[in-house]
Amino acid sequence: MTQTAVALGLLVIMTSLLLIEGSPFLVHQRQKGRFQRDRRNIRPNIVLILTDDQDIELGSMQVMNKTRRIMEQGGVHFINAFVTTPMCCPSRSSILTGKYVHNHNTYTNNENCSSLSWQAHHEPKTFAAYLNSTGYRTAFFGKYLNEYNGSYVPPGWKEWVGLIKNSRFYNYSLCRNGVREKHGHDYAKDYLTDLITNDSISYFKMSKKIFPHRPVLLVLSHAAPHGPEDSAPQFAHLFPNASQHITPSYNYAPNPDKHWIMRYTGPMKPIHMEFTNMLQRKRLQTLMSVDESVEKMYDMLLDIGELENTYIIYTADHGYHIGQFGLVKGKSMPYEFDIRVPFYIRGPNIEAGSINPHIVLNIDLAPTILDIAGVDIPVDMDGKSILKLLETEVPVNRFHFHKRAKVWRDSFLVERGKLLHKRDGGTKEDKAQEENFLPKYQRVKDLCQRAEFQTPCEQTGQYWQCVEDATGKLRLHKCKGMANLEISGKKGLTGVKSKYFSKNSNDCSCEDNEYKINHFGRKKKLYSKKKYKASYARNRSTRNVAIELNGELFNVELEDGYQPVYSKNITKRHTRAQDDLEEEEEEEEDKDTAEYSGTGSLSLTNELTAPTSIKVTHRCFILANDTVQCDTVLYKSLQAWKDHKLHIDHEIETLQSKIKNLREVRGHLKKKRPEECDCNKMSFYSKQKGKLKHKGMNLHPFKKFRLEKDSWFFRDQRRRKKLRKILKRIKNNDTCSMPGLTCFTHDNQHWTTAPFWTLGPFCACTSANNNTYWCLRTINETHNFLFCEFATGFLEYFDLNTDPYQLMNIVNTLDRDVLNQLHVQLMELRSCKGHKQCNPRTRNVELGSRDGGSYEQFRGQLWEGWEG
């Protein structure tokens, strides 16, 4: 009975399994589940859409309805997105590498932009190179770098359609996979925005058709709305009354509280204001083609079923200003309109329609793309992946009551760093306006942190030393004086030697020995030699004086303590005579030194100036009145005269022979000169900064920038460049350019597409050569400010909680301690490397504190909470 029941049960189970196996619905569900599991294993596609010079403060996104619907309503909008350098090539280099400008060294649109150095050191380390090596199908379409010449395809890109040189919409050249391709002025075939959009869509579809399981990285880099602002013909009639650019800072000029170019720039003329209105209109028109491009890309991804597995990022390389603070147009300023950019991202597991207030930067794009692709982020990237900010918050369980909240940066560096050149001294009025420099003691304190000023003055080639006086103040002193103080045993000043630096044993051996002596030691040694020096007539002490009275010579013995008052008419003859004395024989020198080594005193009135004499031979002297006086016997005895003359001739021959031998030895030493070991370069090792080399220079550190490029070669090169510019201006009848300013001219022929400019030519200046700065931008729960230090030494501070348009520079209202605190944090960011140093979380920043004291008390509070 039991066996029968068991058999029936087995039969029922087998029948059920056969029915399930044959069910078409269940088979479909099983295959769908397997497909979904395989789909999850496929890495996501990444599409980066980049625009050129697109602002967000002047309302450019308000007209891009399609982009906002797709990106803002379908993804997350980062409302605090910034760039670290508001210039095209530096910002794009930061986007590609994930590094600050001071780490990839592309400072301007010309300096190191797509240079050989960039190609050798940084281009092989872009996010494209990393993704290409992990199986991604990488493609680039559009504007690359301003100075890209199309002679090569950058590493890491399988498909390359790069614009050669700067932005254009017509009459441009492309590098298509290494082949130069010229385009004309036909909208249907040549309009850049449409062309790269169509090419990128075709490549994506083709790649997915041939390699369905290979993810795609696609960068679509538009030239819009960069000049020459040529729009597609179907949009040339739009926005006739565009006025989004008229903000509270529009035509707010002059600005005597801001840096030099702002003080120089006055209110705009009527023609300038008309130009800004036209410029805003044409910029918005070019963005209409970008708006359509985003929609085309979205529709393509939706049609081929790749939308749910694709991250789309939309941003710009920097912002723009049109009339703000009287500047007709441009970028490169540290203010909100130039550093804020649009930033949207949509993709898998991203909450649609969300707004994120965290600070994101252009240097975050490269690590974010690597993180999306599942690639390890290099430690030398300064930015951080923003994926952690996009994760949906999961409720913590009962075992995670004390789960630490996410920590993110609230401060970052804005830098525009041209290398400093010589500058001419300004007028007294200009210098009087520079009222908010860092105080001298603060600059000295910063310099004293550098290794080259912390070593004792015994180091060969060192000219400046940082010392601390009796009151505790740090000062910079010349090493010549410091050596004198140290040897004499004075303890009023003590050297400040850093505990972080020590001499590198691998460098040249520059230890002190009998051939290596400092300045004081050398002087002491030379005086110890028994020779007369050129300045001996002034410096030696006198024992007796030869005086000629009534034709007779008298030797007057001097008493102890006498110091003669020499007349100022000691002629070159004395110098020549003393130089000749240096070559006397050692025996004669010893005798002479013994005779003139004492001190004496003579009771003379103030009206009497005792003359001195120089002993040339044992019988002849040169008096102070440039006359030669010998013993009387030489004038009376012919034999004595002949003997002494023969003695002098013999001395001359001996010295001539010695000079000849010395010249032969000198020539020999020149031929046998060993390899140079420059002991002026002292090497030090620091735990914080690694290995540094500094060369001491006989110039005050505050003026070191004056030595840059000071060789004749660079001076001649600059002179030739300046001459070429002058000749070019004369040839083109250019009266707009001004020394030290960045100016532009505009005329009726500038825009070749409608709407046209018809009001004639004009000139405007937009920036200056000294517009180099480093700024600290902070946004957190309590503070929202911008603090800037310019290369000229000028300081700016804006509280954006009360002054969102940066109309008033209130740096003079800050306490000195707070100013020092901001300076310390800015200096740290200026030299940061890697995401651990470059992403601080500032805490306890008490602006307006009046507790006093040194800024050192804030250092721990400033950097508490760093996260890597």
Side-chain angles (χ1 to χ4, degrees):
M1 184 70 181
T2 303
Q3 294 178 350
T4 305
V6 172
L8 289 173
L10 292 173
L11 181 62
V12 170
I13 293 173
M14 293 178 64
T15 304
S16 301
L17 290 174
L18 291 173
L19 291 174
I20 293 174
E21 189 71 22
S23 174
F25 175 76
L26 294 177
V27 171
H28 175 70
Q29 290 297 322
R30 185 192 61 182
Q31 292 176 347
K32 182 178 180 181
R34 184 190 305 166
F35 174 77
Q36 289 176 344
R37 289 194 300 271
D38 294 341
R39 195 77 177 87
R40 286 196 297 268
N41 293 331
I42 299 177
R43 289 182 292 174
N45 307 301
I46 305 170
V47 176
L48 172 60
I49 302 175
L50 187 66
T51 55
D52 195 1
D53 290 12
Q54 184 177 4
D55 62 89
I56 196 169
E57 290 287 291
L58 308 186
S60 65
M61 289 301 304
Q62 296 176 11
V63 301
M64 301 182 68
N65 297 323
K66 298 174 182 178
T67 301
R68 293 180 61 191
R69 172 179 57 83
I70 295 169
M71 300 301 301
E72 186 174 338
Q73 299 177 13
V76 59
H77 177 202
F78 285 91
I79 58 175
N80 286 318
F82 299 88
V83 296
T84 57
T85 302
M87 295 189 72
C88 292
C89 197
S91 179
R92 289 171 176 267
S93 300
S94 294
I95 290 173
L96 290 166
T97 61
K99 296 180 180 180
Y100 275 113
V101 163
H102 64 263
N103 287 330
H104 62 66
N105 303 319
T106 303
Y107 294 103
T108 67
N109 288 336
N110 299 316
E111 197 165 355
N112 203 35
C113 179
S114 191
S115 66
L116 294 177
S117 174
W118 159 264
Q119 297 173 30
H121 299 100
H122 302 290
E123 213 165 32
K125 298 179 181 179
T126 63
F127 62 80
Y130 290 114
L131 264 64
N132 180 55
S133 62
T134 60
Y136 265 80
R137 300 273 299 170
T138 57
F140 186 95
F141 298 87
K143 178 180 176 179
Y144 184 52
L145 300 174
N146 295 48
E147 294 298 318
Y148 173 68
N149 57 17
S151 61
Y152 70 101
V153 175
W157 301 101
K158 292 186 179 298
E159 182 72 12
W160 178 259
V161 183
L163 178 66
I164 297 177
K165 294 294 184 177
N166 208 355
S167 297
R168 286 195 174 195
F169 298 88
Y170 295 107
N171 301 315
Y172 56 85
S173 295
L174 296 174
C175 174
R176 187 180 293 273
N177 297 320
V179 179
R180 185 179 292 263
E181 182 179 286
K182 291 186 177 181
H183 288 266
H185 202 274
D186 186 348
Y187 168 74
K189 297 186 301 182
D190 302 317
Y191 191 66
L192 181 66
T193 305
D194 294 349
L195 184 143
I196 61 176
T197 299
N198 296 333
D199 286 354
S200 61
I201 290 175
S202 298
Y203 175 80
F204 196 103
K205 294 168 67 176
M206 179 271 296
S207 183
K208 282 299 176 182
K209 183 177 181 180
I210 301 176
F211 306 98
H213 298 291
R214 293 276 297 277
V216 175
L217 165 68
L218 189 146
V219 176
L220 184 56
S221 180
H222 292 289
H226 193 285
E229 298 97 9
D230 292 323
S231 64
Q234 64 269 28
F235 302 124
H237 65 284
L238 298 180
F239 315 115
N241 300 314
S243 60
Q244 298 92 334
H245 61 292
I246 302 178
T247 63
S249 60
Y250 180 81
N251 205 25
Y252 189 85
N255 292 269
D257 61 333
K258 295 183 175 65
H259 61 285
W260 183 83
I261 186 63
M262 295 300 183
R263 297 195 301 269
Y264 175 87
T265 304
M268 291 186 293
K269 297 178 181 179
I271 190 172
H272 296 150
M273 300 177 72
E274 287 292 333
F275 172 78
T276 61
N277 297 335
M278 177 74 79
L279 179 62
Q280 173 73 355
R281 181 185 181 188
K282 292 183 72 69
R283 281 170 56 86
L284 297 181
Q285 290 171 356
T286 61
L287 287 174
M288 289 297 93
S289 296
V290 178
D291 200 38
E292 284 193 346
S293 172
V294 175
E295 185 182 43
K296 290 179 181 178
M297 181 66 66
Y298 173 83
D299 291 341
M300 180 271 297
L301 294 172
L302 184 63
D303 291 342
I304 66 175
E306 293 289 336
L307 182 63
E308 298 301 322
N309 193 44
T310 302
Y311 285 89
I312 307 176
I313 305 173
Y314 182 94
T315 188
D317 57 359
H318 54 77
Y320 206 71
H321 58 259
I322 305 175
Q324 279 63 44
F325 297 127
L327 300 171
V328 177
K329 70 171 185 176
K331 50 247 186 182
S332 78
M333 295 296 168
Y335 309 121
E336 296 291 280
F337 43 72
D338 281 356
I339 63 175
R340 278 190 180 267
V341 291
F343 197 103
Y344 305 92
I345 182 171
R346 64 170 294 156
N349 302 320
I350 294 180
E351 184 180 357
S354 59
I355 296 177
N356 196 307
H358 290 90
I359 295 176
V360 295
L361 308 174
N362 57 341
I363 60 175
D364 295 332
L365 279 171
T368 299
I369 291 174
L370 296 183
D371 197 13
I372 292 174
V375 179
D376 293 335
I377 301 173
V379 294
D380 62 342
M381 283 191 175
D382 303 329
K384 296 185 65 176
S385 171
I386 65 174
L387 279 190
K388 64 181 297 184
L389 304 178
L390 303 174
E391 296 174 356
T392 305
E393 293 292 341
V394 180
V396 297
N397 57 35
R398 58 179 180 169
F399 300 105
H400 293 81
F401 290 114
H402 304 289
K403 183 178 180 181
R404 184 180 178 183
K406 294 177 182 177
V407 179
W408 192 255
R409 72 166 73 91
D410 69 350
S411 299
F412 63 94
L413 173 68
V414 182
E415 58 182 337
R416 183 182 185 266
K418 253 189 175 182
L419 296 177
L420 296 180
H421 303 287
K422 278 189 176 182
R423 59 175 181 175
D424 299 329
T427 63
K428 293 183 178 179
E429 296 180 357
D430 293 337
K431 294 179 180 179
Q433 290 176 334
E434 305 286 344
E435 297 175 351
N436 58 354
F437 285 80
L438 281 176
K440 183 177 180 180
Y441 78 89
Q442 180 62 59
R443 287 181 283 163
V444 171
K445 196 165 188 176
D446 293 338
L447 286 169
C448 288
Q449 302 298 324
R450 297 170 61 177
E452 56 186 308
F453 305 119
Q454 295 175 345
T455 55
C457 275
E458 289 86 352
Q459 303 293 347
T460 306
Q462 183 176 347
Y463 296 96
W464 295 91
Q465 181 194 19
C466 186
V467 298
E468 186 175 0
D469 61 14
T471 63
K473 287 186 177 181
L474 295 174
R475 301 182 184 277
L476 287 171
H477 284 267
K478 283 190 175 181
C479 281
K480 181 178 179 180
M482 283 305 305
N484 195 4
L485 288 175
E486 290 173 1
I487 294 177
S488 62
K490 294 184 179 181
K491 299 181 179 179
L493 300 175
T494 58
V496 180
K497 186 175 178 66
S498 173
K499 65 182 178 180
Y500 300 112
F501 299 96
S502 61
K503 190 172 181 180
N504 191 341
S505 59
N506 294 329
D507 291 336
C508 299
S509 177
C510 299
E511 299 178 355
D512 295 339
N513 51 44
E514 59 180 335
Y515 303 107
K516 301 283 186 177
I517 55 177
N518 56 29
H519 297 286
F520 183 84
R522 180 186 302 174
K523 183 182 296 185
K524 184 175 180 181
K525 186 173 181 179
L526 291 177
Y527 278 127
S528 66
K529 289 184 178 181
K530 299 169 183 178
K531 292 185 179 182
Y532 294 109
K533 301 306 295 180
S535 59
Y536 191 67
R538 289 184 179 271
N539 296 332
R540 67 170 181 159
S541 299
T542 307
R543 179 176 293 274
N544 55 52
V545 178
I547 302 177
E548 183 181 10
L549 297 175
N550 299 325
E552 295 184 5
L553 188 66
F554 299 91
N555 288 331
V556 180
E557 298 294 330
L558 302 181
E559 298 178 0
D560 291 343
Y562 170 74
Q563 292 295 333
V565 181
Y566 299 114
S567 61
K568 297 183 180 180
N569 62 347
I570 297 179
T571 61
K572 295 181 179 179
R573 183 175 180 181
H574 290 79
T575 304
R576 290 194 301 268
Q578 293 165 39
D579 290 338
D580 293 336
L581 283 174
E582 290 180 8
E583 306 299 333
E584 285 189 333
E585 292 180 338
E586 186 172 353
E587 181 178 351
E588 287 289 329
E589 292 168 351
D590 292 343
K591 180 178 177 181
D592 295 338
T593 305
E595 182 179 353
Y596 289 96
S597 62
T599 59
S601 176
L602 179 66
S603 297
L604 297 174
T605 63
N606 292 335
E607 287 77 11
L608 177 62
T609 300
T612 185
S613 63
I614 300 174
K615 185 176 181 180
V616 180
T617 67
H618 63 284
R619 289 183 176 271
C620 295
F621 302 82
I622 297 179
L623 303 181
N625 59 359
D626 293 344
T627 61
V628 178
Q629 183 67 45
C630 298
D631 292 346
T632 308
V633 65
L634 296 181
Y635 302 118
K636 295 181 178 181
S637 172
L638 180 61
Q639 187 61 38
W641 180 91
K642 291 181 179 180
D643 292 342
H644 197 68
K645 182 178 179 300
L646 184 63
H647 169 72
I648 292 175
D649 292 339
H650 175 71
E651 289 293 319
I652 292 174
E653 291 178 1
T654 303
L655 292 175
Q656 288 177 345
S657 176
K658 188 174 181 180
I659 290 174
K660 181 180 178 181
N661 295 335
L662 289 174
R663 285 176 176 170
E664 291 181 0
V665 173
R666 182 178 64 179
H668 170 76
L669 292 177
K670 284 183 178 181
K671 295 178 181 180
K672 301 297 182 180
R673 180 178 179 177
E675 294 184 1
E676 183 174 2
C677 176
D678 192 352
C679 294
N680 288 338
K681 294 182 178 179
M682 305 305 299
S683 298
F684 302 91
Y685 179 79
S686 170
K687 295 180 181 179
Q688 283 79 10
K689 298 181 180 180
K691 187 176 180 181
L692 300 176
K693 288 189 177 180
H694 299 282
K695 183 175 181 179
M697 293 183 292
N698 191 15
L699 188 66
H700 197 281
F702 289 170
K703 300 179 180 180
K704 273 192 175 182
F705 70 92
R706 294 180 180 273
L707 293 182
E708 293 187 4
K709 297 184 178 179
D710 232 7
S711 65
W712 68 269
F713 174 76
F714 289 105
R715 289 199 301 270
D716 184 68
Q717 198 175 39
R718 289 198 301 269
R719 182 186 62 81
R720 292 175 180 270
K721 185 177 180 180
K722 185 176 181 180
L723 181 61
R724 288 196 300 268
K725 287 184 176 180
I726 294 175
L727 294 176
K728 184 178 180 180
R729 288 200 298 267
I730 295 175
K731 181 179 179 180
N732 298 332
N733 195 22
D734 181 10
T735 59
C736 180
S737 300
M738 298 181 183
L741 293 175
T742 303
C743 306
F744 76 97
T745 56
H746 191 87
D747 53 30
N748 295 348
Q749 286 74 41
H750 183 78
W751 284 322
T752 58
T753 58
F756 299 101
W757 176 257
T758 59
L759 297 182
F762 68 87
C763 171
C765 296
T766 59
S767 187
N769 290 347
N770 61 2
N771 186 30
T772 297
Y773 53 78
W774 299 268
C775 299
L776 176 68
R777 184 71 174 92
T778 296
I779 303 175
N780 54 33
E781 296 80 4
T782 57
H783 299 101
N784 184 8
F785 64 84
L786 174 71
F787 171 71
C788 294
E789 295 181 0
F790 288 81
T792 58
F794 199 82
L795 305 180
E796 292 184 357
Y797 177 86
F798 303 95
D799 184 357
L800 278 77
N801 284 331
T802 59
D803 182 19
Y805 296 99
Q806 304 102 64
L807 302 180
M808 299 297 296
N809 176 19
I810 59 173
V811 70
N812 291 326
T813 66
L814 298 181
D815 290 343
R816 184 58 63 186
D817 290 335
V818 175
L819 195 61
N820 292 337
Q821 176 187 1
L822 296 173
H823 173 70
V824 169
Q825 188 175 358
L826 182 58
M827 292 298 292
E828 293 285 350
L829 282 175
R830 284 179 57 179
S831 60
C832 74
K833 290 186 178 181
H835 67 275
K836 291 185 178 181
Q837 295 182 10
C838 295
N839 294 280
R841 170 71 183 182
T842 308
R843 297 178 182 175
N844 299 331
V845 181
E846 296 296 338
L847 296 179
S849 172
R850 296 184 180 274
D851 297 332
S854 171
Y855 68 89
E856 295 293 339
Q857 62 180 318
F858 298 100
R859 184 179 292 274
Q861 298 173 359
L862 275 171
W863 301 115
E864 181 182 0
W866 265 10
E867 185 203 11

